[in-house]
Amino acid sequence: MSGKYVLGVSSHFHDAAAVLVQGDRIIAAAQEERFTRQKADWRFPENAIAYCLSRLPAGAHPDAVAYYEDPALKAERIVQNARHQMPGGARLWPQMVKTLGALSQELPAQLTAITGHADDVHFVAHHRSHAASAFYPSPFASAAVLVVDGVGEYSTTTLWSGTAEGLEPIGEIRFPHSLGLLYSAFTQYCGFRVNSGEYKLMGLAPFGAPIYVDRIKEMITLRADGSFALDMSYFDFARGPSSISPLFEGVMGKPPLAPDAPVTPFYMNIAASVQAVLEEAMIALARHALATTGHSNLCLAGGVALNCVANGRLRAELPELSGLWIQPAAGDAGGALGAALEVARDGAARTVPVGGDAMDHALLGPSYDAETIRLALEDAGLVYDRVDDPATYAQQV
Ligand SMILES: [Fe+2]
């Protein structure tokens, strides 16, 4: 094995994670929530980092640290946004000051402490990290790479051309116009938690009928080339803490569903409608991505790429698509992987993985044997009655 050992890190928004790679080989990966049992834990992933470093060979040290976004650009966007939202945006200031303190002081110190040298710390732009996590492990020599999420530093949607030379940026859509934030707004409206309940909204959609698509299309303009624009009079996420404005409630005709309230058919229909709009947008984006880059393969990452129903429609409805590869950790945890791969590559030509993709599986975190699982369950007052295949749980990566 050769190549630099690079530790990738994501943190300070949600889905904090650490990843260890050597060159293009993925050695270990873990999300902080698995250690702290705090779902989508955003804090600096000390436990995940310790685990990844424990997988280094004896005497080896990380050569570099790769962080999954540019904290300076992110800070700039946060300040600009607060400024543009004045005077109402003044309520963002206390949180903004806290975030800026963390990004400018705490985070650089935490990253530097990993190797002891500030020069070893590299910042990779948020969407480039996502794109790298999708393209570099993929089985394709070349591909269009589409990243769709809530927001990175400024980008919410980016298109890349992936070749042996790496990732070339082709186009972007910027904050506040965001499919991820649109979906999160409806997640909140239907009574689920933003940044973790989106999968519940997707799961709710098939219980309803998409009868409110026209109302939602008053809020978002979808263009034939895959681009889109939100009408920000309906959304408050730029001002926070709510994602939706009073106008949003007025158009939808009912107040947001309270968390844990019984879900009525109205909200099922809302879920079906926003899911239909998202799928329409993703199909247009993917079609445009293939036509613009001239590639027939497509790689996806970003939190919206976790919408497996939309992904299924791409596979079924785009005859021009020959290969589709989606980063399993498409959310921000996967950004730690992409950042590490990008830094480890260091501008060298990419080699296509032999015999498939470079992620045979996603079992990259700590493993436990069946006896340890049994004892832990018993401690928690649970019964260990069935494990389909204990060897799977005990597998060491
Ligand atoms: Fe992201």
Side-chain angles (χ1 to χ4, degrees):
M1 282 304 159
S2 64
K4 292 201 290 187
Y5 288 110
V6 180
L7 186 81
V9 177
S10 67
S11 68
H12 286 80
F13 186 35
H14 51 82
D15 299 344
V19 176
L20 180 67
V21 305
Q22 183 187 25
D24 54 12
R25 187 173 73 104
I26 304 163
I27 298 174
Q31 205 169 324
E32 187 69 359
E33 67 172 21
R34 306 303 168 96
F35 301 92
T36 62
R37 298 190 173 194
Q38 184 172 316
K39 196 164 170 58
D41 199 340
W42 61 269
R43 296 169 295 178
F44 193 72
E46 290 174 5
N47 297 288
I49 290 172
Y51 166 71
C52 287
L53 295 180
S54 76
R55 300 301 310 274
L56 280 164
H61 302 281
D63 299 295
V65 177
Y67 191 66
Y68 84 129
E69 63 184 8
D70 182 335
L73 267 185
K74 181 174 172 177
E76 184 184 280
R77 191 248 304 159
I78 290 169
V79 172
Q80 275 192 15
N81 179 56
R83 191 171 148 250
H84 289 147
Q85 300 301 331
M86 287 297 285
R91 68 181 179 202
L92 297 173
W93 285 25
Q95 181 58 42
M96 182 178 77
V97 168
K98 233 171 117 182
T99 304
L100 293 181
L103 293 178
S104 64
Q105 314 262 318
E106 187 183 304
L107 178 65
Q110 288 165 322
L111 293 170
T112 301
I114 294 168
T115 66
H117 303 287
D119 289 350
D120 295 338
V121 178
H122 304 264
F123 298 106
V124 180
H126 188 107
H127 270 230
R128 180 175 281 277
S129 295
H130 276 311
S133 78
F135 177 58
Y136 293 137
S138 79
F140 309 134
S142 61
V145 185
L146 200 49
V147 178
V148 188
D149 68 359
V151 59
E153 293 90 352
Y154 285 97
S155 305
T156 65
T157 306
T158 50
L159 172 60
W160 308 75
S161 172
T163 64
E165 279 74 49
L167 287 160
E168 179 194 356
I170 303 294
E172 73 166 346
I173 296 170
R174 290 189 149 211
F175 182 83
H177 306 290
S178 165
L179 289 177
L181 294 175
L182 171 80
Y183 208 78
S184 291
F186 281 90
T187 298
Q188 178 195 326
Y189 184 66
C190 290
F192 304 123
R193 277 180 62 181
V194 169
N195 285 336
S196 67
E198 282 76 3
Y199 75 96
K200 295 180 184 173
L201 189 69
M202 183 182 76
L204 187 61
F207 291 93
I211 58 176
Y212 297 117
V213 163
D214 288 348
R215 283 192 208 175
I216 295 172
K217 284 189 174 176
E218 288 179 33
M219 303 177 181
I220 181 169
T221 303
L222 299 180
R223 304 187 190 100
D225 68 354
S227 65
F228 53 84
L230 297 184
D231 179 339
M232 289 307 294
S233 58
Y234 293 101
F235 302 97
D236 257 354
F237 54 73
R239 282 187 288 268
S242 173
S243 292
I244 60 179
S245 75
L247 192 59
F248 181 110
E249 285 187 43
V251 166
M252 298 321 297
K254 284 185 195 280
L257 188 66
D260 300 324
V263 180
T264 61
F266 172 77
Y267 294 96
M268 296 173 189
N269 293 338
I270 292 289
S273 302
V274 72
Q275 177 67 25
V277 170
L278 179 84
E279 290 169 18
E280 184 181 335
M282 286 297 285
I283 289 169
L285 278 170
R287 195 163 270 149
H288 172 75
L290 296 172
T292 304
T293 61
H295 300 307
S296 60
N297 299 312
L298 179 66
C299 298
L300 295 179
V304 178
L306 293 170
N307 195 302
C308 51
V309 180
N311 297 345
R313 282 196 62 188
L314 300 184
R315 168 54 89 203
E317 296 180 32
L318 292 179
E320 65 270 47
L321 177 65
S322 59
L324 177 64
W325 198 87
I326 300 156
Q327 167 54 241
D332 281 359
L337 169 64
L341 291 172
E342 187 69 281
V343 169
R345 186 177 153 265
D346 201 18
R350 169 180 178 264
T351 39
V352 183
V354 179
D357 59 47
M359 283 186 74
D360 297 332
H361 53 74
L363 302 173
L364 294 160
S367 57
Y368 305 94
D369 60 32
E371 181 60 10
T372 307
I373 295 169
R374 188 183 68 78
L375 291 172
L377 288 172
E378 275 182 9
D379 277 354
L382 300 167
V383 178
Y384 179 76
D385 62 350
R386 178 170 173 267
V387 172
D388 292 330
D389 177 9
T392 304
Y393 292 83
Q395 180 173 355
Q396 281 285 342
V397 177

